[in-house]
Amino acid sequence: QVQLVESGGGSVQSGGSLRLSCAASGSTYSPYCMGWFRQAPGKEREGVAVITMDGRTKYADSVKGRFTISQDNAKNTLYLQMNSLQPEDTAMYYCAGPAGYRSWWSLLLPSAYNYWGQGTQVTVSS
């Protein structure tokens, strides 16, 4: 059983920063990659950032240069450092992991992921 638990969301003003964390449990779970996704009201869930087990990263164009994904394998924890936050970043943020290998082109697709956390809300005010 894989469990993902996010934390670190909150409310900030435009230009502010937040750091999200995702703790993964499941003794046999060693995913090929882990990712952060977000869903704003009335919109589809979208990929934000992904990191592979060997440290390669992939970002959505909208967050490049502002967000940084990282992982601490010893702690089974995934992070998302979000800087220069804008109102359009307001959404529920989820971490997710796949059940197996995923091709590079699919890494930001929500459909490629099998395990999801419950989400943490990020609200950015102008």
Side-chain angles (χ1 to χ4, degrees):
Q1 183 77 10
V2 176
Q3 288 191 324
L4 304 175
V5 180
E6 303 97 334
S7 61
S11 297
V12 296
Q13 290 190 328
S14 181
S17 298
L18 283 173
R19 189 194 196 201
L20 306 183
S21 299
C22 172
S25 62
S27 60
T28 61
Y29 187 52
S30 183
Y32 171 73
C33 64
M34 292 288 292
W36 286 100
F37 296 78
R38 67 186 181 186
Q39 188 167 18
K43 295 187 177 181
E44 293 188 354
R45 191 168 299 189
E46 63 176 355
V48 175
V50 175
I51 187 167
T52 64
M53 60 189 305
D54 59 355
R56 291 179 296 156
T57 57
K58 190 173 186 179
Y59 295 92
D61 289 343
S62 59
V63 306
K64 283 180 181 177
R66 300 188 298 123
F67 291 11
T68 302
I69 189 171
S70 62
Q71 59 190 355
D72 185 333
N73 292 329
K75 296 181 179 180
N76 290 331
T77 302
L78 181 72
Y79 302 100
L80 185 68
Q81 178 65 45
M82 304 186 294
N83 298 329
S84 302
L85 283 162
Q86 301 300 315
E88 52 265 35
D89 296 315
T90 295
M92 185 72 79
Y93 283 70
Y94 301 89
C95 69
Y101 169 81
R102 296 292 183 265
S103 60
W104 181 258
W105 68 268
S106 72
L107 291 182
L108 287 175
L109 298 179
S111 59
Y113 292 77
N114 305 92
Y115 307 111
W116 293 86
Q118 83 289 348
T120 186
Q121 178 67 38
V122 172
T123 302
V124 185
S125 58
S126 57

